[in-house]
Amino acid sequence: DEVERYFDRVVVRRAEWDTLALPESDLVALASELPTPFAEEMVCSYFETARTIGQWTAELHLALASLDDDPAFAPEPFTTLYQRSLYQSMRNLTNRVFHVLRERIPTLPDAVRGRAEEVAALEPEVHRAFRGVTERKLTALRTRYHGDYHLGQLLYTGRDYVIIDFEGEPARPISERRIKRSPLRDVAGMLRSFHYAVEYVLATRVTGATVREDDVGAVTPWAQYWFRWASASFLAAYFERVGDAPFVPKTADERKLLLEAYLLEKAVYELGYELNNRPDWVGVPLDGIVALVRPAGTA
């Protein structure tokens, strides 16, 4: 509903559709910047909603990291061995999903086939991006975490949010769900959920009503605008609340490296899911992969 109202405001700004300037900073850097007056006017009350979700996400991770007297919950360091294992897991996922992608391209809807071919050609760059998690010692700790974190795991009480469903990803075995990882993996899951939320509304709730079919291309950058500022608000509140907690990388560069690796891993996972279950939706993870591997302004 919030995003639908956002697109109502976008339609009112029709004369400015071609002049929209997307934030150039990466999400971690954007989280440290003050929203522009224009962003506050457009994103409106969802700034506070995203901040609330960010604060509660931080509280969740602080609570899970506080149980240091129980071996099943006690935080553990990022070791060189674990970093190599993390990279290999991401690499294996990419190999499986991109194999399916290349097989399914001829069967995909015409609207996404070109993007699918573009992403298929990016597989070496995806591997290169994941390799970054092995190229420096990460200062963060690994803890237990939610494991299947997205907007659907929040219940709105009318004033606040309650986090639910701590079983992890149902498709994974219990032994794998208990593995300690960086809580930034949950953070990445929520950010990807923001992307899905705005794309879902654009595709199903405003197209043909608020937004004409012919105008979808012109409005699409405004979806990215909402996503980036909502994500920045969430991250700002999250990092402010966790402070110098040892499970968070100490430097902004490390935070960016690890968060973007998890965002890319999540987008690749989503691509595999959509290829097998909802081919009409593959455009969302395809766009997510392109944005992470080839940010705006790169060749």
Side-chain angles (χ1 to χ4, degrees), residues 11-12 20 30 36 38 44 67 83 90 106-107 117 131 149 159 165 175 183-184 224-225 240 245 268 288 299:
V11 169
V12 172
L20 178 68
L30 190 62
T36 65
F38 181 73
C44 203
L67 303 173
Q83 288 177 228
M90 292 173 168
T107 69
E117 292 172 345
R131 197 174 300 122
Y149 200 52
R159 293 184 178 181
D165 191 0
S175 58
L184 289 185
Q224 182 68 202
Y225 188 83
E240 178 183 336
V268 172

Side-chain angles (χ1 to χ4, degrees), residues 271-285:
L271 176 58
Y273 178 87
E274 305 298 13
L275 285 168
N276 288 317
N277 296 279
R278 300 185 301 186
D280 289 344
W281 277 95
V282 296
V284 179

